[in-house]
Amino acid sequence: CHPLDTFKSRLQGPYGHQYKSLFSAIKLSIRIDGFKSLYNGLGTAVVGGTPGTMIFLSTYEVTKHYIENRSDPNKLRPFVGHLAAGLVAEMICCVVYVPVDVIKERLQIQTKVGFEKELLYSGNIDAVQKIMKVEGIRGLYKGYAATILSYGPFSALFFTFYERSKASAKKHYEKK
C-alpha cells in the first residue's frame, strides 16, 4: 500500500495542485521521478514502524497492568484504565513514530514535478542529517502534539473496545 500512501501525500502536499487526479499523480510521478520514487520513505517506515509498534503494544500492557495493580476495583472502572493505558501507549510510541513519519512524508512528497529540479533528500539518512542540521531535533518531532491529539483518543478507545470484546468473547466461550 506504500505507493498509494505516496500518492496521497503528493496530492495533499505542496505540489498537489500539479495533479488533476490520482491517475494524473501516478502518471506524472512515474514519468518524471521514476517508478522507484513511489517507494520513497518505505525503508524508514519498515525499520521505524516495527520498534514503534513493539513500544506501542508493550507500553499499553505495562501501563494497563500498572493501573490494574494500583487501583481499587470498587472505585476505578476497568475501562478507565484501558482508556488511560491506550493514551499513554500512543504518547510513548510517538517518540519513535513521529520522526519516522516526518522522514517518510518528506521523502514521499519530494518530486521534480513542479518547480524542483533537484531532490532535497537523497535517502533516509540524508533526510535525517539535513533535518537535524537545518531544524534541529524539533524538526523530527514536527506534528507530535497534533499526532497525539488525533491518534491518542483513537488508541484509548481502540483498547477500551478491544478489552471489552475480549472479555465478552471469553465469557461466551467459557459457557460452552
Side-chain angles (χ1 to χ4, degrees):
C1 134
H2 193 77
L4 289 177
D5 188 46
T6 298
F7 295 132
K8 178 192 75 72
S9 296
R10 287 185 177 187
L11 285 163
Q12 293 175 343
Y15 298 115
H17 66 280
Q18 298 287 336
Y19 309 110
K20 293 182 175 109
S21 66
L22 173 61
F23 296 108
S24 166
I26 293 169
K27 189 172 129 184
L28 278 172
S29 294
I30 292 172
R31 190 177 80 213
I32 294 171
D33 297 319
F35 185 77
K36 184 181 169 204
S37 73
L38 306 182
Y39 292 90
N40 286 349
L42 179 63
T44 302
V46 170
V47 170
T50 301
T53 300
M54 291 167 50
I55 291 167
F56 179 63
L57 296 172
S58 298
T59 302
Y60 171 74
E61 288 296 329
V62 167
T63 306
K64 177 181 80 168
H65 291 297
Y66 179 85
I67 291 169
E68 287 173 348
N69 292 333
R70 285 171 178 69
S71 61
D72 181 352
N74 297 322
K75 293 183 180 177
L76 182 70
R77 307 285 287 165
F79 78 89
V80 175
H82 301 147
L83 281 168
L87 182 59
V88 168
E90 189 66 43
M91 292 170 67
I92 299 298
C93 79
C94 279
V95 170
V96 172
Y97 276 145
V98 170
V100 165
D101 203 43
V102 167
I103 295 161
K104 177 188 74 75
E105 289 285 331
R106 294 210 187 171
L107 288 168
Q108 285 180 311
I109 64 169
Q110 69 177 357
T111 177
K112 292 179 185 171
V113 174
F115 307 105
E116 301 297 322
K117 299 295 179 218
E118 292 295 319
L119 298 177
L120 183 58
Y121 308 113
S122 63
N124 299 319
I125 293 170
D126 184 51
V128 171
Q129 290 172 338
K130 286 180 177 172
I131 292 167
M132 288 292 290
K133 183 178 179 182
V134 174
E135 303 172 57
I137 193 79
R138 288 179 173 260
L140 292 174
Y141 285 94
K142 279 191 174 172
Y144 179 84
T147 301
I148 298 303
L149 291 172
S150 62
Y151 287 106
F154 169 81
S155 294
L157 291 171
F158 170 81
F159 281 114
T160 301
F161 290 118
Y162 167 75
E163 293 291 349
R164 191 78 172 135
S165 297
K166 191 168 75 171
S168 294
K170 186 177 177 183
K171 276 184 192 176
H172 174 74
Y173 286 109
E174 285 176 350
K175 287 180 184 179
K176 290 183 177 188

